[in-house]
Amino acid sequence: MTRKIDSLVAALICVLFLSAPWVLPLFVSSFWIDITAEILIWSLFAASVNLLFGYVGLLSFGQALYFGFGMYGVAIGISHFDLGFWPALAVGILAAVLIAVVTGALAVRLTWHYFAIITVVFSLIFYFLALTSKPITGGDDGMGFSLPPVFSFGEFELSLTDQTVQYFFILAVVALCFFLKHRLLKSPLGRALIAVRENDVRAELIGLNVYLLRLTAFVFAGFLAGTAGALFAFFGRYASASYMFYHVSGEGVVWTIVGGAGTLLGPVFGTGLLIILREQLSLYWEHYLLPVGVIVILTAIFAPNGLVGIYRAILNRIFGYPDTDTPADESLAPDVPPARGED
């Protein structure tokens, strides 16, 4: 029964996102179509944090680095090399993946707070490099660019300047990335990552290459963050070093925790809730981040499994399933126990 409910919830979410450009203007301003697109982008960014934290047990505060490389790859490709839409997108994603390979080769040798610290350090190094490389990155001012068309044939042109086209392009790319992540987690590689998270010593004893597995997850997380950064560059027609600062990574961690670490759709729920709260509260109160902070603290204390955990607990109570025996789909609830400390 719970599997059927999970499927219905997932289908409802799909319908809501697919119908947003037509349904939202019936109730609110069309501005909320762009907010929904922004939620999708930041959900993908939070998914990169969640892959490392929820499934590998590595808490990264440096995912903004790969987000920034994806963003700057697009902006520099268009502004300095006059690249078209698709080559610029490819450059942004490739730049993020390459820097993830370089930094990950060093970072995944460490665990726990050492890993978190080194990811922050890498993020700060490249943040200050971006600030001081003004001829290339625009420095403090950042750099804007004009959008090339997505597709053109004769007089026909498809461009992200059209709000609906932009929304569905972002939705398609984000959905594809979540699908790839889902397939990864359901594969033997995904199970190996979870084994490493649970106990890396035992995983190594049964023949798993812990270093290579962590590096693979790190690079894939960099791919997700870089894709989000590239999408955000097209979305805002702008790239800035401020998005490489570690506080952006911190927001990704917060969205993951509030939504539910170790679940596929948890980052979507956490990101959506907090961005909607931000947009609504900022209209009435200058210090709108205070109640958001309170929500995060209360979630961490009373609902450590996040919104998805609350949803799962409600279904458990309704159908009388014990928490550990609930038949659940990985997208809406963790099908493995949450990360624990070292034995």
Side-chain angles (χ1 to χ4, degrees), residues 65-81:
L65 171 61
Y66 316 108
F67 184 89
F69 263 77
M71 177 181 285
Y72 269 119
V74 168
I76 292 174
I78 294 174
S79 298
H80 296 313
F81 298 100

Side-chain angles (χ1 to χ4, degrees), residues 72-206:
Y72 269 119
V74 168
I76 292 174
I78 294 174
S79 298
H80 296 313
F81 298 100
D82 199 28
L83 295 180
F85 180 88
W86 294 105
L89 176 63
V91 167
I93 296 173
L94 183 61
V97 170
L98 290 178
I99 196 64
V101 172
V102 173
T103 57
L106 299 173
V108 298
R109 296 180 183 274
L110 306 173
T111 56
W112 302 102
H113 55 283
Y114 302 107
F115 175 83
I117 290 171
I118 197 172
T119 55
V120 171
V121 170
F122 281 132
S123 183
L124 286 174
I125 289 173
F126 285 96
Y127 165 72
F128 287 116
L129 281 176
L131 283 181
T132 55
S133 304
K134 191 167 185 177
I136 300 174
T137 64
D140 288 326
D141 299 326
M143 58 187 304
F145 58 90
S146 299
L147 274 177
V150 177
F151 174 79
S152 61
F153 183 77
E155 296 184 356
F156 175 77
E157 186 174 281
L158 197 65
S159 173
L160 297 190
T161 53
D162 183 292
Q163 186 183 50
T164 303
V165 172
Q166 174 179 261
Y167 176 83
F168 279 110
F169 175 77
I170 292 172
L171 177 61
V173 173
V174 171
L176 176 61
C177 288
F178 270 93
F179 174 75
L180 292 175
K181 181 183 174 184
H182 172 70
R183 297 309 305 162
L184 170 70
L185 295 173
K186 288 297 186 182
S187 70
L189 174 59
R191 298 301 177 184
L193 293 176
I194 293 169
V196 170
R197 185 200 71 184
E198 288 300 294
N199 193 306
D200 56 350
V201 175
R202 293 176 186 171
E204 198 159 16
L205 287 174
I206 64 173

Side-chain angles (χ1 to χ4, degrees), residues 288-299:
Y288 63 91
L289 288 177
L290 288 177
V292 173
V294 170
I295 290 174
V296 174
I297 292 171
L298 293 176
T299 300

